[in-house]
Amino acid sequence: MKLYIAIFIATLSMPLASMTGIFAMELGYVWNIRQALGVGVLVGSVMLLVALILFLAGVPSTLQRLRAQILPRP
């Protein structure tokens, strides 16, 4: 399940990062396009980092499940 959540977060990171930059500029938190891009990059980087951590946390259980399916226990 962690793998699916990680993939979902990773796929949403770019659209949400760009929307965050646009909203930050529209709401007046940043003053120019360069700062808006920086906010978007920061949000996207954090989301990808969270997705990577969740992905790496889900790999051992997935490998264990795959081994159990390949090698039946006696």
Side-chain angles (χ1 to χ4, degrees):
M1 189 67 173
K2 291 178 189 174
L3 290 175
Y4 295 122
I5 294 171
I7 292 169
F8 181 71
I9 291 173
T11 56
L12 286 181
S13 66
M14 292 308 288
L16 284 178
S18 62
M19 286 191 316
T20 303
I22 291 168
F23 287 147
M25 193 166 177
E26 288 292 323
L27 296 174
Y29 292 116
V30 295
W31 304 111
N32 57 20
I33 192 73
R34 291 178 69 189
Q35 291 176 341
L37 286 172
V39 169
V41 167
L42 179 67
V43 169
S45 299
V46 169
M47 289 182 71
L48 286 175
L49 185 63
V50 169
L52 178 66
I53 291 169
L54 283 174
F55 180 78
L56 292 176
V59 167
S61 62
T62 303
L63 288 177
Q64 187 178 16
R65 240 179 312 151
L66 288 174
R67 285 190 191 120
Q69 289 177 358
I70 293 172
L71 299 172
R73 296 183 186 190

